[in-house]
Amino acid sequence: MSRRHRRRLLPVGISAIAFATAASVIAITPGRASAAVTFGASIKVSDANTTEPGIDVAPDGTLYVNAPVGIGSSVPGSPSLVWRSSDRGTTWTQLPASLKANLPGGGDSDIVIRADGTLVETDLWLGDSTVATSKNRGNTWVAQPLQGIPGQDRQWLAQTNKWVYHVVHQEPSGLVLSKSRGGLVYATHTVAATALDQTGCICPPGNMVAESGGLIGDRVGGLYNTTTMGVRFWRSTNGGLTFTQTTPSAGTSTDVGQGFPVVADGGNGKLAAVWTAIVSGQEVTMFSSSTNFGATWTQAKAIVNNGTSAYPWVDYRNGKIAVSLYHNDAVATQDTTPDGSPWYVKYLESINAGASFTSLATADPIPVKTKPICSGGLGCSANRELGDFQQVVLNGAGKALIAYCRSLDEVADTQVRVVQQS
């Protein structure tokens, strides 16, 4: 992972009363949520020693995985990698870099897929980001190295019928939202959340979501961490002209753990958000939802409060909420789990808007790692090979696919893998 810095939040924690109340409301029982969840065999995507794989499903069902390779990992350019599967994830092909080959990148990468199948990519190189598009399923790319905001840290994409949105942490401004017609030229840049909104947290943003609303009526928003207000959500209902801030974690934790808060859009203003919180030295997965595109949120609750959670991700499609995470049975934080204690890719889901979730299911029976996961970014001397996230996506049939890394040597040698719900 190549972010210049890793935010570290003040360990305030949840009060015992607040956590007990939340836990009593959200016992993790199958209820209406689903029958037992099972997964097929894990499929290797690549041995390229990348990290933080993202996964996307195109309108025609084609699957894409992207992952950064590290800034300066090759000369003259270091573009992040993209793989494609045309057989529902059974086999994977690394796509050519094309016009990205000699351009900087390799820091943080993200992809969105437009309704016509066009791929839009952003690829961080610290000074800025290289942006690229492909209209032929990634066989060739058009690219340019200046997205437009200098001094970038962790960028994400979202798209609507008319616009591609790009958010990035830019010091000292805060979180800056840009918009583009096609994904190559971002003509407007607006501060979505200020350093004051972040309450002094030097934090890159969590991901973002967007819903179409005409020429200037798009709804767009994203999550971010703070030092004193837990997780917050910046939102705009006029295509990024003006912004308001809301707080999904209100009344619970002001220590939002280690990692990005993540939000998914289920359509018609329905959102689902997950993040980790540290409670009495234990890292748990928290959840909140909204039915009005983040204007208000349900009471935050712990949906995984056994063992240790790391880097949960969420998707929301056709009424189903899918959550994946790295999980360890030790009662600890990701930094304090003991050596020899295995981490697994785990999964849970809900089909009743998050009222209840299935019990945790193991998506891959082989551990991804057996040592702590360091959350200190570039301050880590070891145990950073999994980066800062894994991802889950729901396909058109409502089945979850999880893209993740498996550490092969507990140092730097990793595989990117994908596993699919049966």
Tab-separated table of all heavy atoms in Angstrom, residues 160-205:
chain	number	residue	atom	x	y	z
A	160	THR	N	-22.822	8.119	-12.625
A	160	THR	CA	-24.256	8.164	-12.897
A	160	THR	C	-24.445	8.131	-14.415
A	160	THR	O	-23.484	7.941	-15.168
A	160	THR	CB	-24.896	9.433	-12.313
A	160	THR	OG1	-24.301	10.594	-12.938
A	160	THR	CG2	-24.686	9.518	-10.804
A	161	ASN	N	-25.664	8.355	-14.868
A	161	ASN	CA	-25.912	8.330	-16.311
A	161	ASN	C	-25.097	9.364	-17.063
A	161	ASN	O	-24.656	9.122	-18.197
A	161	ASN	CB	-27.402	8.559	-16.585
A	161	ASN	CG	-28.262	7.394	-16.136
A	161	ASN	OD1	-27.763	6.285	-15.946
A	161	ASN	ND2	-29.544	7.643	-15.947
A	162	LYS	N	-24.905	10.538	-16.457
A	162	LYS	CA	-24.244	11.636	-17.165
A	162	LYS	C	-22.827	11.910	-16.701
A	162	LYS	O	-22.022	12.456	-17.454
A	162	LYS	CB	-25.080	12.918	-17.020
A	162	LYS	CG	-26.417	12.867	-17.741
A	162	LYS	CD	-27.144	14.201	-17.644
A	162	LYS	CE	-28.463	14.177	-18.413
A	162	LYS	NZ	-28.266	13.999	-19.854
A	163	TRP	N	-22.480	11.559	-15.447
A	163	TRP	CA	-21.228	12.032	-14.875
A	163	TRP	C	-20.412	10.896	-14.271
A	163	TRP	O	-20.958	9.896	-13.804
A	163	TRP	CB	-21.484	13.075	-13.783
A	163	TRP	CG	-22.185	14.309	-14.250
A	163	TRP	CD1	-23.511	14.613	-14.130
A	163	TRP	CD2	-21.593	15.418	-14.933
A	163	TRP	NE1	-23.782	15.835	-14.683
A	163	TRP	CE2	-22.624	16.358	-15.180
A	163	TRP	CE3	-20.296	15.714	-15.350
A	163	TRP	CZ2	-22.389	17.565	-15.835
A	163	TRP	CZ3	-20.065	16.929	-16.001
A	163	TRP	CH2	-21.104	17.822	-16.228
A	164	VAL	N	-19.092	11.118	-14.264
A	164	VAL	CA	-18.169	10.318	-13.460
A	164	VAL	C	-17.662	11.224	-12.341
A	164	VAL	O	-17.226	12.355	-12.592
A	164	VAL	CB	-16.978	9.801	-14.285
A	164	VAL	CG1	-15.988	9.058	-13.382
A	164	VAL	CG2	-17.459	8.884	-15.403
A	165	TYR	N	-17.727	10.726	-11.105
A	165	TYR	CA	-17.288	11.492	-9.932
A	165	TYR	C	-16.002	10.892	-9.379
A	165	TYR	O	-15.822	9.670	-9.364
A	165	TYR	CB	-18.371	11.496	-8.862
A	165	TYR	CG	-19.606	12.271	-9.264
A	165	TYR	CD1	-20.670	11.638	-9.891
A	165	TYR	CD2	-19.696	13.637	-9.034
A	165	TYR	CE1	-21.795	12.348	-10.272
A	165	TYR	CE2	-20.819	14.355	-9.406
A	165	TYR	CZ	-21.867	13.713	-10.030
A	165	TYR	OH	-22.982	14.424	-10.410
A	166	HIS	N	-15.123	11.771	-8.882
A	166	HIS	CA	-13.798	11.386	-8.384
A	166	HIS	C	-13.588	12.141	-7.073
A	166	HIS	O	-13.652	13.360	-7.030
A	166	HIS	CB	-12.749	11.801	-9.423
A	166	HIS	CG	-11.336	11.411	-9.130
A	166	HIS	ND1	-10.576	11.998	-8.148
A	166	HIS	CD2	-10.524	10.481	-9.725
A	166	HIS	CE1	-9.366	11.471	-8.160
A	166	HIS	NE2	-9.304	10.544	-9.104
A	167	VAL	N	-13.367	11.405	-5.968
A	167	VAL	CA	-13.103	12.057	-4.688
A	167	VAL	C	-11.708	11.678	-4.218
A	167	VAL	O	-11.240	10.557	-4.454
A	167	VAL	CB	-14.156	11.677	-3.623
A	167	VAL	CG1	-14.032	10.224	-3.188
A	167	VAL	CG2	-14.082	12.618	-2.421
A	168	VAL	N	-11.038	12.614	-3.556
A	168	VAL	CA	-9.668	12.399	-3.121
A	168	VAL	C	-9.418	13.247	-1.878
A	168	VAL	O	-10.064	14.286	-1.679
A	168	VAL	CB	-8.681	12.759	-4.257
A	168	VAL	CG1	-8.656	14.258	-4.520
A	168	VAL	CG2	-7.282	12.238	-3.971
A	169	HIS	N	-8.493	12.801	-1.045
A	169	HIS	CA	-8.045	13.629	0.073
A	169	HIS	C	-6.916	14.526	-0.421
A	169	HIS	O	-5.913	14.040	-0.953
A	169	HIS	CB	-7.542	12.752	1.220
A	169	HIS	CG	-7.072	13.542	2.396
A	169	HIS	ND1	-5.834	13.389	2.955
A	169	HIS	CD2	-7.689	14.504	3.124
A	169	HIS	CE1	-5.692	14.221	3.968
A	169	HIS	NE2	-6.809	14.906	4.084
A	170	GLN	N	-7.111	15.826	-0.243
A	170	GLN	CA	-6.110	16.785	-0.692
A	170	GLN	C	-5.818	17.735	0.468
A	170	GLN	O	-6.696	18.461	0.929
A	170	GLN	CB	-6.612	17.565	-1.916
A	170	GLN	CG	-5.537	18.293	-2.688
A	170	GLN	CD	-5.237	19.684	-2.159
A	170	GLN	OE1	-6.104	20.331	-1.581
A	170	GLN	NE2	-4.024	20.141	-2.350
A	171	GLU	N	-4.570	17.676	0.963
A	171	GLU	CA	-4.205	18.561	2.067
A	171	GLU	C	-3.873	19.946	1.532
A	171	GLU	O	-3.235	20.073	0.483
A	171	GLU	CB	-2.987	18.002	2.799
A	171	GLU	CG	-3.232	16.645	3.452
A	171	GLU	CD	-1.990	16.135	4.144
A	171	GLU	OE1	-1.317	16.954	4.807
A	171	GLU	OE2	-1.697	14.958	4.004
A	172	PRO	N	-4.269	21.008	2.246
A	172	PRO	CA	-5.027	20.996	3.494
A	172	PRO	C	-6.539	21.144	3.284
A	172	PRO	O	-7.274	21.320	4.247
A	172	PRO	CB	-4.478	22.219	4.209
A	172	PRO	CG	-4.227	23.193	3.093
A	172	PRO	CD	-3.791	22.366	1.907
A	173	SER	N	-6.995	21.084	2.036
A	173	SER	CA	-8.387	21.410	1.757
A	173	SER	C	-9.370	20.451	2.408
A	173	SER	O	-10.432	20.846	2.891
A	173	SER	CB	-8.620	21.423	0.238
A	173	SER	OG	-7.782	22.356	-0.391
A	174	GLY	N	-9.066	19.165	2.404
A	174	GLY	CA	-9.999	18.157	2.884
A	174	GLY	C	-10.286	17.156	1.784
A	174	GLY	O	-9.389	16.757	1.028
A	175	LEU	N	-11.552	16.763	1.654
A	175	LEU	CA	-11.966	15.802	0.641
A	175	LEU	C	-12.551	16.567	-0.536
A	175	LEU	O	-13.533	17.306	-0.388
A	175	LEU	CB	-12.995	14.828	1.209
A	175	LEU	CG	-12.598	14.155	2.525
A	175	LEU	CD1	-13.658	13.155	2.955
A	175	LEU	CD2	-11.224	13.501	2.425
A	176	VAL	N	-11.951	16.386	-1.707
A	176	VAL	CA	-12.310	17.176	-2.886
A	176	VAL	C	-13.028	16.280	-3.892
A	176	VAL	O	-12.524	15.217	-4.271
A	176	VAL	CB	-11.069	17.821	-3.528
A	176	VAL	CG1	-11.453	18.586	-4.788
A	176	VAL	CG2	-10.378	18.742	-2.531
A	177	LEU	N	-14.206	16.724	-4.326
A	177	LEU	CA	-14.988	16.002	-5.333
A	177	LEU	C	-14.819	16.669	-6.688
A	177	LEU	O	-14.982	17.880	-6.823
A	177	LEU	CB	-16.469	15.992	-4.946
A	177	LEU	CG	-17.384	15.236	-5.912
A	177	LEU	CD1	-17.165	13.736	-5.794
A	177	LEU	CD2	-18.846	15.574	-5.638
A	178	SER	N	-14.501	15.860	-7.696
A	178	SER	CA	-14.394	16.340	-9.074
A	178	SER	C	-15.406	15.594	-9.928
A	178	SER	O	-15.838	14.496	-9.580
A	178	SER	CB	-12.985	16.100	-9.614
A	178	SER	OG	-11.992	16.651	-8.768
A	179	LYS	N	-15.765	16.186	-11.071
A	179	LYS	CA	-16.720	15.504	-11.953
A	179	LYS	C	-16.284	15.640	-13.397
A	179	LYS	O	-15.653	16.620	-13.800
A	179	LYS	CB	-18.139	16.021	-11.743
A	179	LYS	CG	-18.348	17.491	-11.994
A	179	LYS	CD	-19.697	17.975	-11.451
A	179	LYS	CE	-20.888	17.335	-12.105
A	179	LYS	NZ	-22.161	17.962	-11.675
A	180	SER	N	-16.638	14.611	-14.189
A	180	SER	CA	-16.209	14.533	-15.574
A	180	SER	C	-17.335	13.932	-16.393
A	180	SER	O	-18.083	13.067	-15.921
A	180	SER	CB	-14.964	13.641	-15.681
A	180	SER	OG	-14.647	13.336	-17.025
A	181	ARG	N	-17.437	14.364	-17.643
A	181	ARG	CA	-18.418	13.770	-18.543
A	181	ARG	C	-18.036	12.347	-18.931
A	181	ARG	O	-18.874	11.451	-18.982
A	181	ARG	CB	-18.560	14.618	-19.803
A	181	ARG	CG	-19.404	15.850	-19.627
A	181	ARG	CD	-20.868	15.486	-19.450
A	181	ARG	NE	-21.747	16.641	-19.615
A	181	ARG	CZ	-23.056	16.589	-19.521
A	181	ARG	NH1	-23.648	15.442	-19.265
A	181	ARG	NH2	-23.775	17.669	-19.688
A	182	GLY	N	-16.744	12.130	-19.208
A	182	GLY	CA	-16.349	10.828	-19.720
A	182	GLY	C	-15.332	10.076	-18.899
A	182	GLY	O	-15.069	8.912	-19.157
A	183	GLY	N	-14.696	10.763	-17.928
A	183	GLY	CA	-13.717	10.105	-17.085
A	183	GLY	C	-12.274	10.430	-17.407
A	183	GLY	O	-11.369	9.916	-16.752
A	184	LEU	N	-12.040	11.309	-18.404
A	184	LEU	CA	-10.674	11.706	-18.740
A	184	LEU	C	-10.346	13.139	-18.350
A	184	LEU	O	-9.211	13.437	-17.995
A	184	LEU	CB	-10.410	11.525	-20.239
A	184	LEU	CG	-10.016	10.140	-20.734
A	184	LEU	CD1	-9.812	10.170	-22.241
A	184	LEU	CD2	-8.753	9.632	-20.043
A	185	VAL	N	-11.318	14.017	-18.429
A	185	VAL	CA	-11.111	15.426	-18.095
A	185	VAL	C	-12.094	15.798	-16.990
A	185	VAL	O	-13.318	15.733	-17.185
A	185	VAL	CB	-11.320	16.339	-19.318
A	185	VAL	CG1	-11.150	17.798	-18.915
A	185	VAL	CG2	-10.349	15.964	-20.436
A	186	TYR	N	-11.557	16.171	-15.828
A	186	TYR	CA	-12.366	16.564	-14.671
A	186	TYR	C	-12.301	18.083	-14.556
A	186	TYR	O	-11.307	18.639	-14.099
A	186	TYR	CB	-11.857	15.882	-13.412
A	186	TYR	CG	-12.102	14.387	-13.429
A	186	TYR	CD1	-11.235	13.526	-14.101
A	186	TYR	CD2	-13.206	13.839	-12.800
A	186	TYR	CE1	-11.464	12.158	-14.138
A	186	TYR	CE2	-13.446	12.470	-12.827
A	186	TYR	CZ	-12.571	11.640	-13.502
A	186	TYR	OH	-12.809	10.286	-13.535
A	187	ALA	N	-13.368	18.729	-14.975
A	187	ALA	CA	-13.341	20.184	-15.135
A	187	ALA	C	-13.690	20.935	-13.865
A	187	ALA	O	-13.318	22.099	-13.718
A	187	ALA	CB	-14.295	20.594	-16.260
A	188	THR	N	-14.440	20.335	-12.956
A	188	THR	CA	-14.853	21.044	-11.745
A	188	THR	C	-14.367	20.299	-10.509
A	188	THR	O	-14.336	19.061	-10.473
A	188	THR	CB	-16.387	21.182	-11.674
A	188	THR	OG1	-16.980	19.872	-11.617
A	188	THR	CG2	-16.915	21.916	-12.898
A	189	HIS	N	-13.984	21.071	-9.478
A	189	HIS	CA	-13.452	20.513	-8.235
A	189	HIS	C	-14.056	21.293	-7.074
A	189	HIS	O	-13.927	22.513	-7.020
A	189	HIS	CB	-11.927	20.618	-8.206
A	189	HIS	CG	-11.253	20.184	-9.476
A	189	HIS	ND1	-11.091	18.868	-9.812
A	189	HIS	CD2	-10.724	20.910	-10.495
A	189	HIS	CE1	-10.472	18.780	-10.976
A	189	HIS	NE2	-10.246	20.009	-11.420
A	190	THR	N	-14.687	20.588	-6.146
A	190	THR	CA	-15.363	21.226	-5.023
A	190	THR	C	-15.034	20.481	-3.741
A	190	THR	O	-15.004	19.243	-3.730
A	190	THR	CB	-16.894	21.226	-5.225
A	190	THR	OG1	-17.198	21.696	-6.530
A	190	THR	CG2	-17.580	22.109	-4.198
A	191	VAL	N	-14.813	21.217	-2.659
A	191	VAL	CA	-14.539	20.579	-1.374
A	191	VAL	C	-15.841	19.982	-0.842
A	191	VAL	O	-16.811	20.697	-0.586
A	191	VAL	CB	-13.946	21.574	-0.371
A	191	VAL	CG1	-13.766	20.913	0.996
A	191	VAL	CG2	-12.606	22.101	-0.883
A	192	ALA	N	-15.846	18.663	-0.652
A	192	ALA	CA	-17.030	17.970	-0.155
A	192	ALA	C	-17.053	17.902	1.365
A	192	ALA	O	-18.133	17.904	1.975
A	192	ALA	CB	-17.082	16.555	-0.729
A	193	ALA	N	-15.891	17.789	1.986
A	193	ALA	CA	-15.779	17.778	3.445
A	193	ALA	C	-14.464	18.455	3.809
A	193	ALA	O	-13.403	18.082	3.316
A	193	ALA	CB	-15.811	16.349	3.986
A	194	THR	N	-14.532	19.462	4.660
A	194	THR	CA	-13.354	20.243	5.019
A	194	THR	C	-12.559	19.555	6.124
A	194	THR	O	-13.014	18.586	6.756
A	194	THR	CB	-13.766	21.637	5.512
A	194	THR	OG1	-14.485	21.489	6.751
A	194	THR	CG2	-14.652	22.341	4.492
A	195	ALA	N	-11.362	20.090	6.375
A	195	ALA	CA	-10.573	19.597	7.499
A	195	ALA	C	-11.336	19.797	8.811
A	195	ALA	O	-11.221	18.984	9.738
A	195	ALA	CB	-9.234	20.318	7.542
A	196	LEU	N	-12.150	20.857	8.890
A	196	LEU	CA	-12.968	21.081	10.081
A	196	LEU	C	-14.048	20.006	10.196
A	196	LEU	O	-14.326	19.505	11.289
A	196	LEU	CB	-13.607	22.466	10.030
A	196	LEU	CG	-14.453	22.881	11.241
A	196	LEU	CD1	-13.584	22.915	12.502
A	196	LEU	CD2	-15.095	24.243	11.000
A	197	ASP	N	-14.671	19.638	9.077
A	197	ASP	CA	-15.651	18.554	9.101
A	197	ASP	C	-15.009	17.257	9.595
A	197	ASP	O	-15.658	16.451	10.282
A	197	ASP	CB	-16.222	18.310	7.697
A	197	ASP	CG	-17.084	19.454	7.191
A	197	ASP	OD1	-17.806	20.063	8.013
A	197	ASP	OD2	-17.025	19.737	5.984
A	198	GLN	N	-13.742	17.044	9.242
A	198	GLN	CA	-13.012	15.848	9.665
A	198	GLN	C	-12.510	15.948	11.098
A	198	GLN	O	-11.905	15.004	11.603
A	198	GLN	CB	-11.828	15.595	8.732
A	198	GLN	CG	-12.215	15.240	7.307
A	198	GLN	CD	-10.995	15.031	6.432
A	198	GLN	OE1	-10.344	15.978	6.015
A	198	GLN	NE2	-10.674	13.772	6.166
A	199	THR	N	-12.776	17.060	11.760
A	199	THR	CA	-12.335	17.349	13.135
A	199	THR	C	-10.847	17.092	13.315
A	199	THR	O	-10.400	16.549	14.326
A	199	THR	CB	-13.149	16.558	14.180
A	199	THR	OG1	-12.901	15.149	14.029
A	199	THR	CG2	-14.639	16.830	14.044
A	200	GLY	N	-10.073	17.494	12.318
A	200	GLY	CA	-8.625	17.411	12.412
A	200	GLY	C	-8.032	16.083	12.014
A	200	GLY	O	-6.814	15.911	12.064
A	201	CYS	N	-8.852	15.144	11.591
A	201	CYS	CA	-8.339	13.831	11.176
A	201	CYS	C	-7.610	13.973	9.829
A	201	CYS	O	-8.182	14.468	8.861
A	201	CYS	CB	-9.493	12.842	11.039
A	201	CYS	SG	-8.994	11.150	10.686
A	202	ILE	N	-6.372	13.553	9.792
A	202	ILE	CA	-5.619	13.562	8.529
A	202	ILE	C	-5.939	12.247	7.838
A	202	ILE	O	-5.160	11.295	7.844
A	202	ILE	CB	-4.115	13.726	8.772
A	202	ILE	CG1	-3.852	14.926	9.661
A	202	ILE	CG2	-3.391	13.874	7.446
A	202	ILE	CD1	-4.352	16.237	9.092
A	203	CYS	N	-7.119	12.186	7.237
A	203	CYS	CA	-7.684	10.912	6.795
A	203	CYS	C	-8.061	10.931	5.321
A	203	CYS	O	-8.804	11.810	4.887
A	203	CYS	CB	-8.962	10.595	7.579
A	203	CYS	SG	-8.787	10.592	9.361
A	204	PRO	N	-7.607	9.944	4.568
A	204	PRO	CA	-8.162	9.766	3.224
A	204	PRO	C	-9.606	9.295	3.330
A	204	PRO	O	-10.017	8.722	4.347
A	204	PRO	CB	-7.263	8.694	2.617
A	204	PRO	CG	-6.721	7.947	3.779
A	204	PRO	CD	-6.599	8.927	4.904
A	205	PRO	N	-10.401	9.522	2.303
A	205	PRO	CA	-11.827	9.192	2.399
A	205	PRO	C	-12.103	7.711	2.223
A	205	PRO	O	-11.331	6.981	1.597
A	205	PRO	CB	-12.434	9.970	1.220
A	205	PRO	CG	-11.325	10.017	0.210
A	205	PRO	CD	-10.062	10.136	1.009
